Amino acid sequence: MTDISEERAQRHKARMQNRKAVQDAEVAAKTVEKGLLIVNTGPGKGKSTAAFGLALRMLGHGRRVGVVQFIKGVWQTGEREAFSAFGERVVWHTMGEGFTWETQDLERDITAARRAWDKARELIGDPALSLVVLDELNIALRYDYLDLAEVVDTLRNRRNDLHVVVTGRNAKPELIAAADLVTEMGAVKHHFAAGVKAQPGIEF
């Protein structure tokens, strides 16, 4: 056993009781239930990873999930393989053709982005889905491949119980303003800087 005096233990208990009372009151005051527009942005790693973690959580509650990948190409990724195990509970569309520096074709990139947005609108309109992940949509918006006003308007006017997660660096201010939850992931340290290559299970 640790060497904690009875007085210290009682002080700690009193503090925690007070904290619990404050926390319980704050939680009880939150009464709104609605679908959230969530944006994961910033220069740090983990934006898509966080979105897929949320998708897994939703599946754990017996819900259905839709995913549209705007930029990532047709290469096989660990997350796509893992989510395929859920069968029809996950609707997955990889619509991109790789990053713009790989395609080097502006018209092709714009066409792919618009095709992905059409699919995204289809999933947003599907009442069977509880969560839609729009992976790297921020990249398509950053390069003006899509009409920003149309995208924001569609996301604002989705049905009330649908959660949508948008990922990618450089989220547009208009999208941030429309969102309910925005997380900016910072880049503190990255293994690429030390010459470590992309690895299965970490980057893809």
Side-chain angles (χ1 to χ4, degrees):
M1 294 181 62
T2 57
D3 186 18
I4 298 175
S5 68
E6 179 66 21
E7 180 183 2
R8 182 182 176 190
Q10 289 303 317
R11 285 200 310 269
H12 174 79
K13 183 176 181 179
R15 283 198 305 272
M16 293 304 104
Q17 287 175 336
N18 289 337
R19 182 173 179 180
K20 177 173 169 37
V22 170
Q23 188 71 27
D24 287 350
E26 185 176 355
V27 170
K30 306 298 188 284
T31 58
V32 177
E33 185 172 347
K34 57 168 286 190
L36 300 176
L37 175 55
I38 301 170
V39 176
N40 295 341
T41 192
K45 178 174 168 56
K47 297 175 286 294
S48 297
T49 304
F52 295 137
L54 197 62
L56 185 61
R57 180 177 289 166
M58 193 67 71
L59 289 165
H61 286 282
R63 309 291 183 82
R64 293 188 68 217
V65 172
V67 177
V68 177
Q69 294 188 295
F70 278 76
I71 303 298
K72 293 183 175 72
V74 295
W75 66 85
Q76 293 300 107
T77 63
E79 60 266 25
R80 184 175 182 179
E81 290 299 309
F83 279 107
S84 68
F86 289 93
E88 294 183 356
R89 292 179 60 201
V90 177
V91 181
W92 192 292
H93 298 278
T94 300
M95 308 289 291
E97 298 190 21
F99 292 99
T100 185
W101 59 83
E102 294 175 338
T103 62
Q104 302 175 15
D105 186 330
L106 179 59
E107 183 176 357
R108 178 177 163 187
D109 290 341
I110 291 173
T111 298
R114 289 179 177 172
R115 190 166 56 242
W117 176 240
D118 287 342
K119 181 59 66 175
R121 287 189 301 173
E122 179 185 319
L123 297 192
I124 288 169
D126 185 344
L129 298 178
S130 296
L131 172 71
V132 174
V133 177
L134 304 179
D135 189 34
E136 306 286 9
L137 172 57
N138 284 336
I139 306 301
L141 293 174
R142 175 189 181 188
Y143 290 115
D144 299 318
Y145 294 164
L146 301 170
D147 183 274
L148 175 61
E150 178 193 344
V151 171
V152 172
D153 185 65
T154 299
L155 295 177
R156 279 186 187 275
N157 292 295
R158 71 198 184 281
R159 73 172 196 271
N160 190 56
D161 62 342
L162 177 65
H163 304 288
V164 175
V165 186
V166 177
T167 74
R169 296 184 178 209
N170 303 110
K172 293 283 191 177
E174 294 87 346
L175 179 61
I176 290 174
D180 299 288
L181 172 62
V182 179
T183 299
E184 184 171 17
M185 300 192 178
V188 177
K189 190 175 185 179
H190 202 302
H191 49 278
F192 280 8
V196 181
K197 68 179 184 179
Q199 300 175 83
I202 302 297
E203 275 76 35
F204 58 91

